[in-house]
Amino acid sequence: LSPESFVKFKCIGSSCPQSCCVGWKIRIDENTYDKYNNSEDKKIKSVANKYIKKLENTIDFFAEISLKDNSCPFLGADKLCEVQKKHGHDYLSSTCSNYPRKSINFGTKKLKTLDLSCPEAARLVLFDKNPLNLYEDGIYKTKLPIRINSKKELDNYKIVGEKIFNLSLSLLNDNKVSTSVALCVTKKLMEEQKNLEYFPGKLDDIYNYFLKIFLENNFLDFDTTSIKINFFRDLYEYCDKELFGKKNNKNIWISEKFTNELNLAYENLINKFNSSKKRFENLKEIEKLYYIELNKEKVNFINNYLINEFLGNSSMFYFKVAYIEKRIEIILLVAVIAKFLILGKLSEDKYISQDEITKAFYLAKRNIRFFTNFRPNKEYKFRDEIETILKKIDNNDLFNSLLFLFI
């Protein structure tokens, strides 16, 4: 099962503005390691012997391709993969052949989406006019509700989770419901999921109650401009201290394009103003332009992003494990960082193109690891410094903090 953007995706190769072959060390399986190191192609074998090293104490991957001048050593001068050009797509490692495609295996069904760290994937997803056009096996169109498992394979927790999953997608796809209301209702339902496991028949009543409360009470009707300015200043200072000043540290790598965009946003939103009042007034005016862009051509790129991420992280609705509890917050952090990059551009030009919006999202997604840590269980968590910054907004709830920045 996959959205139409997944079906349409094709790598744009040398035309890509942020190649996945640049800046990332690539981890590969044992079969690829043996294939490249013993290749009859002398060039591939020579490069493999020099740049591919076995990994220790890992389960998912066997080896890693080191970088040459910050690029994959198999990347040619034409910005195309020498391995693929000579031997075809099937000769690539699973990492290279699959990216940016993501797949969650639910046993009887797989849910496939795109990773928005890829520029072409981000473009397809963000400006899709029908983000919930879903396909079975890439051929047959299907609609909500999504059925992941058969009823025999679902316990009450998963039955409730699947309903919450579908309700959240429906809310995000409903132009009569604000994004903030959709997120708040989803979050509240997920918090109630463990209780609803014992009373699954109560879900509809609780959903209608939360929806009514959030629609009727304008709970976010207050000015968050100062909160946003203070957060972005703190975020930039963290980057300046922990990242920009440590470029020679081999364990820290940050995209130069992301650094440039973050510097530009900071200059245009914070640094160029000599008073808090001017900074405040500018951001209020720029946010008005932002919401005009958001609704341009009737494509809500923020909701498209969230729908894609909810599909790609659908396991958070089905599995009762503690480490997935902050996935919505991580999803929101990417959107918040992308928003600040967009606001910075708008502050400079008073206009932003679809390419620039796409760029903000793929750079934020590609560099999210500098604001989060990757746990051994493959789950992200906020870095302590980022959590501290967010807690200045709401000390008790990171979701609330991010929501105030997001709206």
Side-chain angles (χ1 to χ4, degrees), residues 17-61:
Q18 183 75 69
S19 173
C20 54
C21 303
V22 177
W24 280 340
K25 292 180 180 180
I26 300 160
R27 294 191 168 186
I28 59 174
D29 52 274
E30 186 174 0
N31 178 56
T32 304
Y33 174 85
D34 292 335
K35 185 166 55 180
Y36 287 9
N37 274 285
N38 299 299
S39 176
E40 293 180 1
D41 186 312
K42 291 182 180 180
K43 186 175 181 180
I44 288 177
K45 184 176 181 179
S46 174
V47 171
N49 291 166
K50 184 176 181 180
Y51 289 98
I52 302 180
K53 307 297 179 185
K54 288 183 181 179
L55 294 168
E56 296 181 1
N57 302 320
T58 60
I59 299 173
D60 297 316
F61 297 98

Side-chain angles (χ1 to χ4, degrees), residues 120-342:
E120 180 63 5
R123 184 190 69 81
L124 286 170
V125 168
L126 294 175
F127 299 102
D128 187 348
K129 292 185 178 180
N130 299 290
L132 282 173
N133 270 1
L134 304 172
Y135 285 78
E136 290 272 8
D137 302 321
I139 301 172
Y140 308 104
K141 278 191 177 183
T142 185
K143 295 181 180 180
L144 296 182
I146 292 172
R147 301 294 185 215
I148 296 295
N149 297 111
S150 67
K151 290 183 179 180
K152 292 181 180 179
E153 296 169 305
L154 290 175
D155 55 33
N156 276 356
Y157 187 84
K158 290 179 180 178
I159 288 171
V160 171
E162 187 162 273
K163 287 183 178 179
I164 296 173
F165 178 38
N166 281 286
L167 287 169
S168 69
L169 294 175
S170 295
L171 286 171
L172 288 169
N173 202 44
D174 187 346
N175 58 20
K176 294 179 182 178
V177 177
S178 71
T179 308
S180 55
V181 167
L183 286 168
C184 288
V185 172
T186 299
K187 181 66 174 176
K188 295 302 291 184
L189 290 177
M190 292 181 74
E191 289 174 352
E192 293 292 329
Q193 188 171 351
K194 289 179 182 178
N195 294 326
L196 286 167
E197 175 184 7
Y198 303 102
F199 307 99
K202 298 279 188 182
L203 175 58
D204 288 341
D205 290 339
I206 292 175
Y207 164 74
N208 289 325
Y209 169 76
F210 283 137
L211 184 59
K212 185 174 185 289
I213 289 292
F214 287 118
L215 284 174
E216 292 182 355
N217 295 278
N218 210 351
F219 63 103
L220 292 173
D221 188 21
F222 63 94
D223 199 314
T224 59
T225 306
S226 294
I227 291 174
K228 291 165 184 170
I229 289 172
N230 291 334
F231 168 80
F232 188 46
R233 184 191 286 114
D234 288 344
L235 184 77
Y236 185 85
E237 288 176 358
Y238 160 75
C239 292
D240 190 44
K241 178 183 176 182
E242 297 297 328
L243 302 176
F244 301 158
K246 298 183 179 181
K247 286 184 180 178
N248 294 324
N249 186 334
K250 293 182 179 179
N251 295 320
I252 295 180
W253 183 90
I254 187 167
S255 161
E256 185 176 348
K257 289 185 179 181
F258 180 69
T259 302
N260 292 340
E261 293 299 313
L262 203 59
N263 283 330
L264 178 67
Y266 184 78
E267 176 63 28
N268 289 331
L269 297 174
I270 307 291
N271 205 40
K272 75 177 183 181
F273 298 101
N274 56 17
S275 73
S276 299
K277 182 181 179 182
K278 289 181 179 179
R279 212 173 282 135
F280 182 92
E281 290 172 348
N282 176 69
L283 185 56
K284 277 189 73 70
E285 185 62 31
I286 292 307
E287 282 210 283
K288 291 178 184 177
L289 291 177
Y290 172 79
Y291 286 107
I292 290 172
E293 291 294 330
L294 184 61
N295 295 296
K296 209 173 202 178
E297 298 177 7
K298 298 182 180 178
V299 176
N300 189 320
F301 56 83
I302 287 291
N303 282 25
N304 282 11
Y305 161 75
L306 292 170
I307 286 170
N308 183 77
E309 296 305 294
F310 278 24
L311 288 169
N313 292 278
S314 52
S315 55
M316 66 183 175
F317 296 97
Y318 287 87
F319 300 118
K320 195 191 302 184
V321 282
Y323 63 77
I324 66 172
E325 289 181 354
K326 296 300 178 187
R327 283 204 188 177
I328 286 185
E329 286 79 358
I330 299 295
I331 289 168
L332 280 179
L333 180 62
V334 173
V336 166
I337 293 170
K339 180 180 179 179
F340 277 106
L341 298 184
I342 292 169

